[in-house]
Amino acid sequence: MSGGWNREYVEEKYWNELKKRLNTLRSRDLIGRFDVAGSFRRGEDTVGDLDVVVESHEEGRKKLSAELADWEHSDELLGPSDGIMMIRTDEIQIDFDLVEPESYGSFLHRSTGNWRHYEELREYARSEGYGI
């Protein structure tokens, strides 16, 4: 589909079911927090892909990969490699950013907000002796 998919369609067909799977993994302490990012999180009417930030450790990443390879919508699973995993479905690509707990908040901000704002915030933090 050129220009992206209707937000409600993506939420109903993919995100709601994916949330249930991720909550199951979280209840087994294999992942921590997770949330959608990108255009979906910003409330855009159409989305080109689904971006998900997941707080995880090494064991959790392996289990997440195995769990999602099994998902009925998964046509192809790539990763996890360098903290990134992707699922290709027959309609949409779902990108997962698998991050350490201490990086979750800043990564969610970076993956959702205005890139220029993030860069300015990062420079300010750096000038104060901090990092994001």
Side-chain angles (χ1 to χ4, degrees), residues 52-58 60-62 64-65 78-86 94-100 103 107 110-111:
V52 182
V53 178
V54 179
E55 180 183 72
S56 65
H57 47 77
E58 192 62 36
R61 292 175 188 178
K62 291 175 188 171
L64 178 62
S65 179
L78 306 170
S81 175
D82 295 328
I84 297 171
M85 186 171 66
M86 292 179 278
I94 304 171
D95 298 327
F96 294 88
D97 291 302
L98 311 172
V99 300
E100 297 295 326
S103 302
F107 207 92
R110 186 181 87 178
S111 301

Side-chain angles (χ1 to χ4, degrees), residues 6-118:
N6 176 281
R7 185 181 195 289
E8 286 80 21
Y9 175 76
V10 171
E11 183 169 18
E12 183 178 314
K13 183 165 183 182
Y14 298 106
W15 178 235
N16 288 336
E17 187 178 329
L18 185 57
K19 277 194 301 190
K20 289 177 191 173
R21 284 183 169 258
L22 293 173
N23 275 319
T24 297
L25 290 173
R26 185 169 55 190
S27 72
R28 296 184 347 225
D29 291 326
L30 297 173
I31 63 171
R33 298 171 288 181
F34 65 87
D35 212 335
V36 69
S39 57
F40 190 92
R41 184 177 179 90
R42 288 190 303 270
E44 302 290 330
D45 291 334
T46 58
V47 294
D49 64 0
L50 194 56
D51 301 300
V52 182
V53 178
V54 179
E55 180 183 72
S56 65
H57 47 77
E58 192 62 36
E59 180 187 352
R61 292 175 188 178
K62 291 175 188 171
K63 297 283 186 177
L64 178 62
S65 179
E67 182 82 13
L68 294 177
D70 240 13
W71 192 29
E72 68 180 281
H73 297 297
S74 293
D75 288 345
E76 182 180 11
L77 177 70
L78 306 170
S81 175
D82 295 328
I84 297 171
M85 186 171 66
M86 292 179 278
I87 291 178
R88 289 199 180 117
T89 74
D90 60 339
E91 298 177 312
I92 195 168
Q93 180 170 305
I94 304 171
D95 298 327
F96 294 88
D97 291 302
L98 311 172
V99 300
E100 297 295 326
E102 61 274 4
S103 302
Y104 180 82
S106 65
F107 207 92
L108 187 59
H109 176 262
R110 186 181 87 178
S111 301
T112 300
N114 178 293
W115 183 255
R116 184 173 177 194
H117 176 257
Y118 176 78

